[in-house]
Amino acid sequence: MASKPGILTEWPWTWLGNFKYVVLAPYVTHSLNSFFMSEDESKRDMTYLIIFPFLLFRMLHNQIWISVSRYRTAKGDNRIVDKTIEFDQIDRERNWDDQIILNGLLFYYGYTKLEQSHHMPIWRTDGIIMTALLHIGPVEFLYYWLHRALHHHYLYSRYHSHHHSSVATEPITSVIHPFAEHIAYFLLFAIPLLTTVLTGTASIVSFGGYITYIDFMNNMGHCNFEIIPKWMFSSFPPLKYLMYTPSYHSLHHTQFRTNYSLFMPMYDYIYDTLDKSSDTLYEKSLERQGKSPDMVHLTHLTTPESIYHLRLGFASFASEPYTSKWYFWLMWPVTLWSMMVTWIYGHTFTVERNVFKSLNLQTWAIPKYRIQYFMQWQRETINNLIEEAIMEADRKGIKVLSLGLLNQEEQLNNNGELYIRRHPELKVKVVDGSSLAVAVVLNSIPKGTTQVVLGGHLSKVANAIALALCQGGVKVVTLREEEYKKLKSSLTPEVAANLVPSKTYASKIWLVGDGLSEDEQLKAPKGTLFIPFSQFPPRKARKDCLYFHTPAMITPKHFENVDSCENWLPRRVMSAWRVAGILHALEGWNEHECGNMMFDIEKVWKASLDHGFSPLTTASASESKA
């Protein structure tokens, strides 16, 4: 929102929320009916029919730019601006499709009012040439002066400041403007379109090509990584006046009073508003190599639909805790395509970068889904992928690699010990984060608790929790006989006295892991607090009970570049296993934490608090969503 919002700031269909696309429904329905149902051949017009598919193509085009930009800026190569992107920017830019809806409505309206727009040919050379000349002349010239006017304090505070709220831009920042500003831009871009229609020289290619050119240049100019190679300008020097670069436009977002041109810098040269550092920044950005991170968190995909929740997927989805959406089934072709890509690609990829204190952090993902980790025939492949990631981290001089989700599964690699045995010379420290996960669970138990129920499959974390509670005099009730026997065999007789097999379930504090059945949950008394110690949350079977988050902590406010949620966790909340790797790097602990190895729980907990991480409570979880 602009600092002093002017009239026509809000979009007319904002109140419709996610149902805003219904404003296009009458036109789409009419175009389909006219083409497929009409017996009158003259009413079957490809021009009318193709408008809606073209709008979908534009959305796909923009999304590709978003994904590529986020991937490239996470890696760091050729990145231009180092400033961070936070949730407020994601929320501000989540309505990027509004301008496509507006364009669609205006295209449909123009078609119904202008007879000359009917039955356009696919190609007309004279119309394409006219479109190019009108863009170079009137459009670029008028835009330049409109843009300068928008930087006058009156218009800037009421309209254009909304766009400039984003200093570190993403491709879609290009279309984040108030409604009134978009009306002005459409009138400008309509000059070539209307002229060719009224002169009878318009074609489907000239229309579609011109709009695609505008989208492409807008996205490129805001992508925040340099993409234009030097040879293009050296081969044709005048090109520098006819095409801007991402670094050229980024200076407009950092300096504000220079580089006003739309896509062609010639008017900045003519009117002396060119930023003097444009060429220098361009060359530096081209040569820039991404910094090797100090710490990497290695995660993996969870469900086929989780690809949309990745930071590289849909920004608005990634900025909220992961939940399955009913409309995902409509996207099954894309989901299937993404599954094929992950299967064919078969390499770890960079998902996210963060900055905390002096550390550069990255998140890498294994292109495998949760279900594949339980397939015997997939285990060797998954272990090889994890091992390759560890070896790559070692080659790059990365200090710490933490294993997230099932990448540390005991049945898969014995909590990461497999890789240490294979490569005893590793310099990168492999961390499974068990000690902090235990500390988080122990500190989530309400003070004064004298008895807890332990359910679900046993794990390294579960064993450590049971030991700590029994040593502290808390009764631990096990749900299953075999788990009771396993735990008892690992405890001393004095400590084992606090471990009891299940007979009654009076306790309202249940510590639960993977494998907890719905029948077992139904045994809990009303008002029970389920506290997971597992990587994945339990399936909720009770509405009269409270389910706590999986072990996690709230990140400090100065933890930078946080613009997506980690799986199902709230905003700015990070899994204990990921936090553990960060602490390992901050503290400079020079040993692995994997296999049977576990750090001192109190030491790790104190370190997390000292570095600004805070416990996650029910109240704080609610606040973190705000």
Side-chain angles (χ1 to χ4, degrees):
M1 189 70 70
S3 53
K4 298 178 182 178
I7 59 171
L8 295 180
T9 290
E10 291 288 344
W11 292 81
W13 45 79
T14 300
W15 62 278
L16 288 172
N18 289 333
F19 294 98
K20 59 188 176 183
Y21 301 101
V22 300
V23 300
L24 291 170
Y27 289 110
V28 175
T29 304
H30 186 258
S31 66
L32 291 171
N33 183 68
S34 299
F35 192 85
F36 293 106
M37 305 301 291
S38 177
E39 295 181 0
D40 186 352
E41 191 68 30
S42 64
K43 292 185 177 179
R44 295 183 180 179
D45 188 356
M46 180 62 71
T47 306
Y48 193 28
L49 178 69
I50 208 172
I51 292 176
F52 183 63
F54 180 63
L55 299 181
L56 296 179
F57 165 76
R58 292 184 67 193
M59 290 183 180
L60 177 62
H61 180 196
N62 289 338
Q63 181 57 50
I64 290 172
W65 268 106
I66 294 170
S67 298
V68 171
S69 171
R70 288 189 153 207
Y71 174 73
R72 287 290 301 269
T73 53
K75 287 179 68 68
D77 294 343
N78 310 122
R79 190 169 61 239
I80 302 166
V81 177
D82 274 330
K83 292 186 180 296
T84 64
I85 295 174
E86 305 292 339
F87 283 113
D88 58 345
Q89 180 170 338
I90 303 302
D91 292 339
R92 186 171 60 250
E93 297 182 354
R94 67 173 58 242
N95 67 332
W96 59 265
D97 51 345
D98 279 344
Q99 55 94 23
I100 295 180
I101 295 174
L102 172 65
N103 288 179
L105 289 173
L106 293 172
F107 290 155
Y108 279 122
Y109 180 78
Y111 177 87
T112 59
K113 295 299 180 182
L114 296 173
E115 189 71 28
Q116 300 95 319
S117 65
H118 296 190
H119 298 285
M120 285 185 189
I122 294 178
W123 177 279
R124 277 200 63 155
T125 303
D126 52 356
I128 292 173
I129 294 173
M130 184 180 295
T131 299
L133 292 175
L134 288 171
H135 176 83
I136 294 170
V139 173
E140 286 280 348
F141 176 78
L142 292 173
Y143 177 89
Y144 175 85
W145 287 107
L146 171 63
H147 197 177
R148 289 194 66 168
L150 286 169
H151 275 261
H152 183 276
H153 66 86
Y154 182 85
L155 292 177
Y156 185 83
S157 63
R158 285 162 176 78
Y159 298 103
H160 203 53
S161 59
H162 180 65
H163 176 69
H164 275 277
S165 298
S166 302
V167 177
T169 60
E170 294 198 278
I172 218 59
T173 305
S174 60
V175 294
I176 303 304
H177 302 281
F179 176 64
E181 207 169 320
H182 266 291
I183 294 294
Y185 294 146
F186 184 85
L187 291 175
L188 273 180
F189 297 139
I191 292 173
L193 302 177
L194 279 175
T195 302
T196 54
V197 167
L198 295 175
T199 57
T201 58
S203 66
I204 291 175
V205 169
S206 68
F207 254 70
Y210 184 53
I211 299 300
T212 302
Y213 164 77
I214 292 170
D215 286 345
F216 181 90
M217 295 300 288
N218 260 332
N219 284 317
M220 184 189 76
H222 293 80
C223 69
N224 198 27
F225 67 93
E226 191 50 74
I227 192 175
I228 306 299
K230 268 186 178 181
W231 63 262
M232 290 183 66
F233 295 110
S234 58
S235 300
F236 185 61
L239 188 63
K240 67 183 295 184
Y241 304 107
L242 300 176
M243 184 179 74
Y244 74 173
T245 64
S247 56
Y248 182 94
H249 189 69
S250 74
L251 283 168
H252 177 69
H253 277 263
T254 56
Q255 305 303 317
F256 299 105
R257 297 292 181 182
T258 58
N259 295 8
Y260 289 102
S261 292
L262 178 55
F263 307 137
M264 300 181 175
M266 60 182 177
Y267 291 106
D268 282 314
Y269 282 93
I270 292 171
Y271 296 109
D272 196 28
T273 52
L274 176 75
D275 195 292
K276 306 304 180 188
S277 62
S278 296
D279 291 341
T280 303
L281 181 62
Y282 167 70
E283 292 180 4
K284 284 184 177 179
S285 300
L286 273 182
E287 296 169 359
R288 182 174 186 176
Q289 298 295 315
K291 291 181 181 178
S292 181
D294 301 293
M295 177 267 171
V296 164
H297 180 65
L298 187 64
T299 185
H300 62 79
L301 301 172
T302 54
T303 65
E305 292 85 7
S306 66
I307 195 77
Y308 305 124
H309 187 263
L310 283 181
R311 187 179 178 275
L312 307 182
F314 296 153
S316 58
F317 288 172
S319 68
E320 302 292 343
Y322 173 68
T323 54
S324 184
K325 308 290 186 182
W326 65 268
Y327 45 81
F328 278 168
W329 70 270
L330 296 172
M331 303 168 66
W332 68 265
V334 181
T335 306
L336 183 61
W337 174 80
S338 69
M339 292 175 67
M340 293 177 64
V341 169
T342 57
W343 178 68
I344 295 170
Y345 181 68
H347 293 286
T348 301
F349 57 95
T350 304
V351 175
E352 184 178 3
R353 75 175 181 95
N354 304 104
V355 178
F356 182 52
K357 295 186 175 180
S358 60
L359 295 183
N360 290 305
L361 314 171
Q362 281 187 355
T363 299
W364 297 353
I366 300 288
K368 295 291 181 181
Y369 303 103
R370 180 186 183 185
I371 192 173
Q372 292 174 291
Y373 281 74
F374 299 104
M375 298 176 179
Q376 189 69 37
W377 60 278
Q378 281 283 318
R379 287 186 174 179
E380 183 178 355
T381 302
I382 292 172
N383 269 326
N384 288 339
L385 287 170
I386 298 172
E387 187 173 3
E388 287 173 9
I390 292 172
M391 298 310 296
E392 181 182 353
D394 198 56
R395 287 193 300 271
K396 289 183 174 180
I398 294 169
K399 299 174 184 176
V400 177
L401 184 142
S402 59
L403 299 172
L405 298 182
L406 298 178
N407 288 328
Q408 54 164 277
E409 175 68 17
E410 186 174 356
Q411 303 299 322
L412 182 70
N413 51 45
N414 194 28
N415 302 109
E417 186 181 27
L418 172 67
Y419 315 115
I420 307 305
R421 288 203 313 267
R422 288 182 179 177
H423 306 281
E425 75 288 352
L426 278 177
K427 294 180 181 178
V428 62
K429 301 308 172 188
V430 181
V431 175
D432 67 8
S434 299
S435 54
L436 185 59
V438 172
V440 169
V441 173
L442 293 176
N443 284 277
S444 299
I445 299 172
K447 300 296 182 184
T449 299
T450 58
Q451 180 176 293
V452 301
V453 175
L454 187 71
H457 298 319
L458 292 181
S459 63
K460 178 181 177 181
V461 171
N463 292 340
I465 291 170
L467 174 61
L469 290 174
C470 288
Q471 287 176 335
V474 178
K475 296 288 184 183
V476 177
V477 180
T478 58
L479 286 177
R480 303 166 187 171
E481 183 67 24
E482 63 271 19
E483 292 167 356
Y484 169 74
K485 291 178 180 178
K486 283 183 181 179
L487 285 172
K488 188 174 182 180
S489 65
S490 63
L491 303 176
T492 62
E494 305 84 51
V495 174
N498 287 318
L499 185 70
V500 294
S502 58
K503 291 181 180 178
T504 62
Y505 306 97
S507 175
K508 290 190 175 184
I509 305 299
W510 283 43
L511 310 182
V512 298
D514 293 327
L516 182 73
S517 68
E518 292 188 10
D519 288 340
E520 288 172 326
Q521 292 185 50
L522 294 175
K523 295 176 182 178
K526 182 180 179 180
T528 292
L529 172 62
F530 290 100
I531 303 176
F533 56 76
S534 55
Q535 297 269 7
F536 289 85
R539 187 182 298 274
K540 298 178 182 180
R542 298 283 297 274
K543 293 183 178 180
D544 57 351
C545 296
L546 179 63
Y547 290 81
F548 202 58
H549 292 291
T550 51
M553 301 189 78
I554 301 173
T555 59
K557 290 184 178 179
H558 51 283
F559 197 101
E560 298 179 7
N561 210 48
V562 182
D563 58 6
S564 60
C565 292
E566 184 179 351
N567 298 314
W568 41 83
L569 295 172
R571 289 183 170 187
R572 296 197 68 86
V573 172
M574 189 173 288
S575 69
W577 294 271
R578 187 175 171 188
V579 174
I582 296 171
L583 296 177
H584 209 98
L586 286 169
E587 293 290 326
W589 291 327
N590 196 30
E591 52 189 324
H592 303 288
E593 184 186 29
C594 50
N596 295 323
M597 172 64 182
M598 184 175 286
F599 288 172
D600 181 84
I601 295 170
E602 286 300 322
K603 175 184 175 182
V604 173
W605 180 248
K606 183 178 183 301
S608 69
L609 300 179
D610 289 345
H611 285 289
F613 292 91
S614 54
L616 181 64
T617 63
T618 305
S620 61
S622 300
E623 291 171 6
S624 66
K625 294 178 183 179

